[in-house]
């Protein structure tokens, strides 16, 4: 006697219960939506806290304890740039004592070899003075010791050096003097960019209260070094101002030595690229 099958007949199209349940769309989970919302809120809150922390960090005043090191690096850049500038264009871009002398000599038509040297020097000195006004009042407005202010200052200096390097690299500005023309105004443009940025580093040295590291001149620095009654005091850590002055003199000298080597081996453009890279690191 055969078994009686009470199930669905063979060939029937009626789906079983498991298939129906599988095909029925499941309702959205309200609790899962709440979980996703809480995750988004948490992520937004974390991002907001990060922005506040970053803002506070940028607007806070720096600890100037070790800021003499980048200023001595600025001295190296000054020696490098002035060595390159004088070798290529016959006048200075950072140290404007020499440029002032050139302007004074121009009153009597000297020097004979470059009768228009006074004009280049005058533009460089004027742009340097304008740069001082810009960086002094800009720093005071933003807060001279704020991290954001110093970042902006050195970013501007870097951008100006990059501009001068690009002008020379692309051949727009000649890396040497042309004695057939009295003055090359494109060279004056590059000198002006360098002179303007030089004001930024000396202003930074003043606001950071390291007056013993002027970064763009050595004459007063050397005098102050020998005026110091504690010049020979030991140990070295007992007279940090003397150490900074010695470091600044050495950094200027090494920068000028580097300029001489690069002028012989690689050229003006590579020296300006190096100066821009160092300013960017600062």
């Amino acid at each position: 006697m055969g078994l009686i099958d009470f199930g669905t007949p063979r060939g029937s199209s009626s789906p079983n219960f498991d298939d129906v349940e599988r095909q029925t769309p499941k309702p959205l989970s309200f609790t899962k939506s709440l979980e996703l919302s809480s995750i988004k809120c948490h992520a937004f809150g974390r991002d907001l806290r990060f922005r506040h922390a970053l803002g506070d960090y940028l607007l806070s005043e720096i600890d100037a304890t070790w800021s003499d090191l980048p200023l001595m690096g600025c001295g190296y850049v000054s020696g490098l740039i002035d060595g390159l500038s004088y070798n290529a264009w016959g006048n200075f871009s950072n140290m404007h004592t020499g440029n002032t002398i050139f302007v004074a000599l121009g009153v009597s038509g000297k020097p004979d070899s470059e009768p228009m040297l006074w004009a280049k020097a005058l533009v460089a000195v004027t742009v340097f003075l304008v740069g001082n006004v810009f960086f002094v009042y800009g720093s005071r407005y933003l807060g001279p010791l704020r991290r954001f202010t110093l970042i902006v200052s050195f970013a501007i200096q870097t951008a100006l050096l990059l501009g001068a390097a690009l002008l020379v690299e692309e051949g727009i500005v000649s890396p040497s003097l042309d004695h057939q023309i009295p003055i090359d105004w494109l060279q004056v443009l590059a000198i002006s960019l360098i002179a303007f940025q030089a004001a930024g580093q000396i202003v930074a040295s003043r606001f950071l209260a390291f007056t013993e590291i002027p970064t763009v001149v050595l004459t007063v620095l050397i005098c102050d070094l020998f005026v110091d009654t504690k010049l020979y005091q030991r140990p070295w850590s007992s007279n940090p101002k003397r150490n900074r002055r010695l470091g600044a003199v050495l950094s200027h000298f090494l920068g000028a030595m580097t300029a001489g080597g690069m002028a012989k081996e690689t050229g003006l453009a590579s020296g300006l690229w190096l100066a821009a890279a160092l300013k960017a690191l600062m």
Side-chain angles (χ1 to χ4, degrees):
M1 179 173 158
L3 296 174
I4 300 174
D5 186 6
F6 292 100
T8 304
R10 187 183 301 274
S12 172
S13 59
S14 300
N16 58 37
F17 180 77
D18 290 339
D19 291 336
V20 172
E21 185 180 28
R22 190 179 300 116
Q23 294 174 7
T24 303
K26 295 182 179 180
L28 293 175
S29 173
F30 182 68
T31 57
K32 182 175 288 189
S33 299
L34 288 177
E35 290 175 2
L36 290 173
S37 299
S38 64
I39 292 173
K40 289 180 180 179
C41 289
H42 178 69
F44 177 76
R46 184 172 57 187
D47 183 60
L48 194 61
R49 286 195 300 274
F50 172 76
R51 291 182 183 180
H52 281 305
L54 180 61
D56 291 340
Y57 177 76
L58 292 175
L59 294 177
S60 63
E61 292 192 353
I62 68 164
D63 178 6
T65 305
W66 294 101
S67 56
D68 54 343
L69 296 179
L71 289 177
M72 281 189 274
C74 287
Y76 177 88
V77 172
S78 291
L80 173 65
I81 289 175
D82 273 332
L84 292 167
S85 178
Y86 187 80
N87 182 72
W89 299 321
N91 69 318
F92 299 103
S93 297
N94 268 34
M95 186 178 65
H96 296 283
T97 305
N99 284 333
T100 304
I101 299 300
F102 293 150
V103 174
L105 287 173
V107 175
S108 55
K110 298 292 183 178
D112 295 329
S113 58
E114 290 185 66
M116 292 297 292
L117 177 59
W118 67 270
K120 287 196 296 184
L122 179 61
V123 171
V125 171
T126 303
V127 171
F128 178 72
L129 293 175
V130 173
N132 272 274
V133 173
F134 173 83
F135 283 105
V136 166
Y137 286 95
S139 297
R140 284 177 178 168
Y141 179 77
L142 296 175
L145 294 181
R146 282 181 173 176
R147 185 171 280 103
F148 174 76
T149 305
L150 291 165
I151 289 173
V152 170
S153 173
F154 278 89
I156 292 172
Q157 296 171 51
T158 303
L160 293 171
L161 285 175
L162 286 174
L166 282 171
L167 288 173
V168 176
E169 183 73 37
E170 296 299 321
I172 300 172
V173 173
S174 173
S176 60
L177 285 173
D178 184 357
H179 296 285
Q180 302 300 318
I181 56 176
I183 186 168
D184 186 341
W185 290 106
L186 287 175
Q187 288 182 354
V188 174
L189 172 61
I191 292 169
S192 299
L193 295 176
I194 298 171
F196 192 92
Q197 67 83 35
Q201 63 184 40
I202 190 171
V203 168
S205 74
R206 266 40 192 169
F207 280 128
L208 291 170
F210 288 108
T211 55
E212 64 271 22
I213 313 176
T215 75
V216 296
V217 67
L218 288 179
T219 312
V220 176
L221 189 153
I222 292 173
C223 178
D224 290 342
L225 181 65
F226 287 102
V227 165
D228 190 353
T229 56
K230 300 178 181 179
L231 176 61
Y232 303 105
Q233 185 173 331
R234 297 291 185 276
W236 283 96
S237 58
S238 63
N239 192 349
K241 286 191 174 184
R242 171 204 55 196
N243 301 341
R244 294 187 193 110
R245 291 185 181 113
L246 286 171
V249 172
L250 183 61
S251 64
H252 271 80
F253 186 78
L254 290 176
M257 282 183 60
T258 305
M262 298 190 82
K264 288 174 61 177
E265 301 296 333
T266 58
L268 174 63
S270 59
L272 292 175
W273 285 118
L274 175 60
L278 291 173
K279 276 292 179 78
L281 286 174
M282 294 171 199

